[in-house]
Amino acid sequence: MQSNRPLGVTIIAILAILGGIGSLLSGFTVLVILPIVGLVLGGILIIIGLAYFAVAYGLWKGLSWAWSITLIISIIGIIVGLGSIIVGNVGAIFHVIVNIIVIYYLYRPNVRTYFGK
């Protein structure tokens, strides 16, 4: 593992933290607004938020599992984005492009080295 974290990895980790915060806030909001139904949906959003924090930590520290999870999440993001585009959400093209960039970036030699790949 290289000692210097690539700038793009830092940016992706910060975005994961922001995603985690958003997910936690959404989860707590759903719990407050819809106490019974929101228990399931809110709980899922809170778990997703905590998972975002775990991935952000792994990215920050250069742990190889975080590279793999980020790759999987990006692939899923592309599939979901393409599905959204097909049903008429043209704005999802932005998410597809971002996920393609993340995958490309994860395969850069210096990034793979940072994660011990």
Side-chain angles (χ1 to χ4, degrees):
M1 178 168 43
Q2 83 185 38
S3 58
N4 295 326
R5 181 182 332 100
L7 176 62
V9 173
T10 302
I11 292 169
I12 295 169
I14 290 169
L15 291 173
I17 290 168
L18 293 174
I21 291 169
S23 211
L24 285 177
L25 292 175
S26 297
F28 289 126
T29 301
V30 169
L31 281 173
V32 170
I33 294 173
L34 305 167
I36 296 172
V37 177
L39 186 61
V40 173
L41 180 58
I44 290 170
L45 288 169
I46 290 168
I47 290 169
I48 290 170
L50 295 173
Y52 267 117
F53 290 131
V55 170
Y57 174 80
L59 290 168
W60 196 267
K61 293 293 187 176
L63 304 175
S64 67
W65 60 263
W67 182 93
S68 301
I69 290 174
T70 303
L71 180 65
I72 292 167
I73 290 170
S74 294
I75 292 168
I76 292 170
I78 290 170
I79 294 167
V80 170
L82 291 173
S84 282
I85 292 167
I86 289 170
V87 297
N89 180 8
V90 181
I93 189 72
F94 173 75
H95 297 288
V96 172
I97 292 169
V98 168
N99 283 302
I100 289 170
I101 292 169
V102 168
I103 291 171
Y104 170 78
Y105 184 75
L106 287 174
Y107 278 99
R108 303 294 302 152
N110 64 322
V111 175
R112 288 179 60 93
T113 300
Y114 177 69
F115 287 104
K117 299 275 183 186

